[in-house]
Amino acid sequence: MRRLVGATLRALCVLALVIAPALLLPGVSPSSGLLIPLIALIAAAFTFMEYATDYPSFVEFRDAPPFNRLRFASLFGVVALTAVVCADVIEPTLFTGAMFSLGLLIGDLADFPYSPVRLLLIALAETAPVSYLDIALSAAGLALLVSAATLAAFALLVRLLNWPLQSGAFNVWVNMPLFDPTSGGDVLLRLRRDARLNVAIGCLVPFILPALVALAGVLLGPLHFGDPHTLIWMMSVWAFLPTSMIMRGIALHRVADLVEEKRRRTYGELAAA
């Protein structure tokens, strides 16, 4: 019963995440019509089935909180703050104005030649109205703030609170269902290699994604980022993917450290015997 309740709450949180832009943007309906509710229901159903069962399928670190909670909070924060920035243009309030100004301040600091923010603005400038570039800059600044806070929180969690052992023994099979420890050589070397690869790709994604957006515009036609909903999800992907991959790299490196410690203890016990 406890697992079913937890799965239901997680499914509702995912449902709220997908429909949040439609709720936070007054008077602006998504151009996709019924697609957003359909995606919300599919995502909620997948989340429920993943967490309601005893056996894992795709979601990593399912029983190693708060890894996935931090990732969800990061994505929800970017979606909500970008929606708030867009809402400031439609129905400005003191709160939306403050968030817009804060994001613009951080975005201006990060907007220098060849930076991810500059490349993103160049990619958006092809189809988005000029007035939306300030919105995109402010949203990018807030997204950077959320990503930095998420990575810092997870690093402190690993460093100071001994994640993932603070909640009990770490089960590799449950928390890493896609990782096969019996293939591909030494487990420790594979974990460290995958950790470095995830961190490297995570650092490159903010630079690569704007180029992919520009390429998609050439191949598929102009992508209209003047729509607030499109801008929200574009900004969310741009911020969430690198954050998630870097967190995964840190987590894999931590698991490698646990494996190394376990080996050292085992070898020590064998030598003492």
Side-chain angles (χ1 to χ4, degrees):
M1 182 60 67
R2 181 180 178 183
R3 183 178 293 275
L4 289 177
V5 172
T8 302
L9 291 177
R10 288 176 173 88
L12 291 176
C13 288
V14 172
L15 183 70
L17 168 68
V18 179
I19 65 175
L23 298 177
L24 293 174
L25 290 176
V28 179
S29 59
S31 57
S32 52
L34 296 177
L35 183 60
I36 296 298
L38 179 61
I39 293 175
L41 290 176
I42 293 174
F46 172 80
T47 303
F48 178 82
M49 289 186 292
E50 176 66 27
Y51 281 91
T53 59
D54 294 329
Y55 304 102
S57 57
F58 295 103
V59 177
E60 291 187 313
F61 304 105
R62 194 185 74 173
D63 289 340
F67 181 84
N68 288 318
R69 296 172 189 175
L70 276 176
R71 291 202 301 178
F72 176 82
S74 175
L75 179 58
F76 194 92
V78 175
V79 170
L81 289 176
T82 306
V84 166
V85 168
C86 293
D88 184 65
V89 181
I90 304 168
E91 290 185 7
T93 64
L94 184 62
F95 175 72
T96 59
M99 290 296 101
F100 182 85
S101 300
L102 176 62
L104 206 59
L105 176 62
I106 301 173
D108 282 331
L109 294 176
D111 182 18
F112 52 85
Y114 304 107
S115 71
V117 174
R118 177 67 60 86
L119 296 177
L120 179 64
L121 293 177
I122 292 174
L124 296 179
E126 296 293 331
T127 57
V130 177
S131 59
Y132 267 84
L133 293 183
D134 284 341
I135 299 175
L137 180 60
S138 178
L142 293 175
L144 289 176
L145 179 63
V146 172
S147 297
T150 302
L151 292 175
F154 184 61
L156 290 175
L157 188 69
V158 172
R159 186 74 174 178
L160 301 180
L161 299 182
N162 198 30
W163 181 90
L165 300 181
Q166 85 281 1
S167 56
F170 182 79
N171 189 314
V172 175
W173 180 71
V174 172
N175 290 290
M176 302 174 62
L178 302 180
F179 181 79
D180 184 4
T182 63
S183 63
D186 185 72
V187 173
L188 186 60
L189 296 178
R190 288 172 56 200
L191 286 171
R192 295 199 186 281
R193 179 197 63 197
D194 291 348
R196 290 191 292 267
L197 184 63
N198 273 267
V199 172
I201 295 177
C203 293
L204 291 176
V205 165
F207 296 90
I208 297 175
L209 191 59
L212 294 179
V213 170
L215 181 62
V218 173
L219 298 178
L220 304 177
L223 304 176
H224 299 288
F225 291 104
D227 178 35
H229 291 274
T230 305
L231 181 64
I232 289 170
W233 292 114
M234 168 64 188
M235 199 63 62
S236 300
V237 172
W238 177 77
F240 176 72
L241 274 183
T243 303
S244 180
M245 297 194 71
I246 293 174
M247 284 182 63
R248 186 175 187 271
I250 296 173
L252 291 177
H253 193 277
R254 173 60 176 156
V255 173
D257 290 340
L258 295 177
V259 172
E260 187 176 24
E261 292 175 8
K262 179 66 175 179
R263 283 184 178 180
R264 190 181 299 115
R265 288 195 302 267
T266 302
Y267 293 155
E269 291 173 359
L270 291 176

